[in-house]
Amino acid sequence: MILAVSNLKNPSSPPDGYRGRFAPSPTGPLHAGSLVAALGSWLDARKNKGKWLLRIEDIDTPRTIPGADQQIQAQLLACGLCWDEELTYQSKRQELYQNALEHLGQLKLLYPCTCSRQTIATTLAKLGIQTPRNQEMVYPGTCRPTVLGLQSLDVFDSPTVSVRLALPENCHIEFEDLRLGSQGQDLNQEVGDFVLRRSDGLFTYQLAVVVDDAHQGITHIVRGEDLLSNTARQMHLQNVLGYHAPQYRHLPLVLDEHGEKLSKQTLATQIHTEDAKQSLVELRKAAIHLGLSNLPDSENITIAEWLLAATQAWKSA
Ligand code: GLU
Ligand code: ZN
């Protein structure tokens, strides 16, 4: 099999040196929140003399905005945040996700699900389970067969069927976040069997991110705290797929004046990187957010000089 992807590593063995990444979804240009994730992950990689990869997570095609990937690249370069190795696009890596899914099918860990969001909501209501605002519904296991069998992926090939991963009975995942310390999640209680391929045929973020991080040999995942609640799911998937486990550092979120996280939905404005002066203003704001203090505030410093000082100030331990 020939894969049209670069920087492919052996997903089961941890690579030698530090390999980090920034993995934006191209749903719009970078805003203050995404710059914090970009800068934090870049500094951590540079401080550790590692590689920093850029991966465009355009797996959710309906949400992808044409041209946003180009804007993101231009903004990163304007901020001096250059990436190592060839840029990758998830849309070009479908074969890897398909292979991983087939592997899980052979392990008898998959089953088809025909529930709509509405059916799940109704079932949960009947069970007296309430879902707090902003939280995903826990899947109540409606379609889970009593005995999991070997599922050829053909049975999933009806367009209205999603593919779920069956969790083991005890699935409490614990990990040490490099910034937040000890974390844990009971996947059965808090998430339920989760979707790996949606009913529209698209692979989910959970599957794609885990497959890519493993195949790209990522050792350190530095990203926004909004993604913390996905980590246990991703670690469980790494486990069942036999991948090496990366380390995680979740960075503080940038909130707007209403205390909501910045996102395209809250119409977060894009950062200004039209000239070096503006880029430096944005970088300085991001650095303050990351808790970096005493960085040079001179008007006449270049971005490269400022980044060097920021790298020295970054505490990755
Ligand atoms: N593509 C995801 C996002 O932009 C980030 C994925 C990750 O860093 O794990 O929210
Ligand atoms: Zn179902």
Side-chain angles (χ1 to χ4, degrees), residues 185-241:
Q185 192 178 44
D186 184 322
L187 284 179
N188 286 301
Q189 290 296 317
E190 296 175 50
V191 180
D193 295 341
F194 53 96
V195 176
L196 299 183
R197 201 183 68 194
R198 301 178 350 188
S199 57
D200 58 8
L202 294 176
F203 297 105
T204 58
Y205 156 65
Q206 308 295 351
L207 179 69
V209 80
V210 165
V211 170
D212 281 338
D213 285 332
H215 283 262
Q216 294 187 299
I218 301 300
T219 59
H220 289 72
I221 294 179
V222 180
R223 60 185 181 187
E225 208 176 311
D226 53 326
L227 295 161
L228 181 65
S229 64
N230 295 284
T231 307
R233 260 172 279 187
Q234 295 170 9
M235 293 182 78
H236 176 64
L237 263 177
Q238 286 153 10
N239 236 328
V240 287
L241 285 164

Side-chain angles (χ1 to χ4, degrees), residues 49 59 85 89 95 100 158 161 238 251 261 263 265 272:
K49 304 202 169 14
I59 190 86
E85 303 185 3
Y89 284 86
E95 204 176 332
S158 148
V161 163
Q238 286 153 10
L251 302 171
K261 119 178 151 76
S263 69
Q265 286 85 336
H272 289 289

Side-chain angles (χ1 to χ4, degrees), residues 111-116 119-120 139-144 162 164:
Y111 65 89
C113 167
T114 49
C115 299
S116 64
T119 340
I120 299 174
Y139 183 63
T142 315
C143 296
R144 183 173 172 145
S162 60
R164 287 188 188 267

Side-chain angles (χ1 to χ4, degrees), residues 288-307:
I288 290 171
H289 199 78
L290 287 165
L292 290 173
S293 49
N294 299 327
L295 292 180
D297 54 9
S298 141
E299 286 268 317
N300 303 321
I301 193 167
T302 66
I303 289 181
E305 287 164 342
W306 183 88
L307 284 172

